[in-house]
């Protein structure tokens, strides 16, 4: 905020596209549906609690699919539940996003071979945008996945497809060293343009 305060303390004009404003508003107010399927959901609840404080990203759970734009599939998807997961997904308004959290939801997890009752990946029932690996993933990993969803929304075009946006973010380097270098370089550019 310090940078923004300095830039606008004497008034000013911001020029951007409507698309950027819409995307910025959407990525800054992601509302996941409050539901969980198994142990991964405990980690998801911990991520929402005070230590990790998802609300600082504008992310807080809603209790109705009709008010949600993100579904976090946290836990084992059994054949019995798959039908309900699909129904909840269909009740969410567009544009909607799906994050698959943990091995069970990604591919069947520990049940992949002998679990006759488990769907081997929730992407067999609904389309998934971001996968978070782990059994269970730690809150930091879930936050990383949520930031990927935000990145996806940031690059989405009104006239473009979701697949194009996913391809675009998958081409970006994601190793921490490169990301830190990129952030430092852009911070340096900002302070140079300020002076
Ligand atoms: S991935 Fe592991 S922690 Fe998550 S629901 Fe499956 S068994 Fe539980």
């Amino acid at each position: 905020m310090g940078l923004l305060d300095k830039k606008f303390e004497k008034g000013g004009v911001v020029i951007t596209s409507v698309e950027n404003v819409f995307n910025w508003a959407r990525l800054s107010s992601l509302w996941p549906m409050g539901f969980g399927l198994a142990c991964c959901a405990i980690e998801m609840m911990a991520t929402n609690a005070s230590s990790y404080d998802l609300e600082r990203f504008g992310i807080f759970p809603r209790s109705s699919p009709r008010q949600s734009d993100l579904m976090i599939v946290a836990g084992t998807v059994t054949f019995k539940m798959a039908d309900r997961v699909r129904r909840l997904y269909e009740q969410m308004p567009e544009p909607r996003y799906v994050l698959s959290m943990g091995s069970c939801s990604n591919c069947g997890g520990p049940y992949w071979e002998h679990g006759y009752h488990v769907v081997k990946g929730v992407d067999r029932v609904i389309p998934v945008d971001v996968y978070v690996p782990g059994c269970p993933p730690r809150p930091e990993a879930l936050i990383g996945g949520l930031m990927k969803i935000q990145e996806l929304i940031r690059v989405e075009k009104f006239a473009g497809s979701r697949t194009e946006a996913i391809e675009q973010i998958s081409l970006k380097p994601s190793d921490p060293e490169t990301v830190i270098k990129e952030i430092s370089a852009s911070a340096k550019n900002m302070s140079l343009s300020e002076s």
Side-chain angles (χ1 to χ4, degrees), residues 129-177:
D129 298 294
V130 170
Y131 297 84
V132 176
C135 177
R138 282 190 51 82
E140 290 87 346
L142 177 58
I143 292 173
L146 291 167
M147 290 171 88
K148 272 281 169 211
I149 296 270
Q150 289 182 322
E151 215 178 312
L152 174 64
I153 298 173
R154 188 176 286 118
V155 301
E156 252 184 337
K157 303 268 176 248
F158 284 167
S161 72
R162 180 74 58 87
T163 317
E164 282 169 22
I166 290 175
E167 272 171 17
Q168 200 178 328
I169 63 162
S170 65
L171 293 175
K172 279 185 154 192
S174 57
D175 65 295
E177 204 177 326

Side-chain angles (χ1 to χ4, degrees), residues 8 20 22 35 52 148 159 161 177 185:
F8 296 105
N20 277 347
F22 268 77
F35 93 115
Y52 293 95
K148 272 281 169 211
S161 72
E177 204 177 326

Side-chain angles (χ1 to χ4, degrees), residues 68-94:
S68 310
D69 51 6
L70 172 65
M71 175 185 265
I72 302 174
V73 185
T76 320
V77 184
T78 59
F79 284 105
K80 189 177 172 184
M81 280 307 290
D83 180 40
R84 278 79 172 170
V85 170
R86 175 86 207 181
R87 195 177 311 167
L88 286 169
Y89 173 78
E90 282 172 355
Q91 287 174 351
M92 290 166 63
E94 287 278 10

Side-chain angles (χ1 to χ4, degrees), residues 38-40 75-76 101-104 110-111 134-137:
C39 9
C40 274
T76 320
M101 179 185 181
S103 303
C104 279
Y111 311 100
C135 177

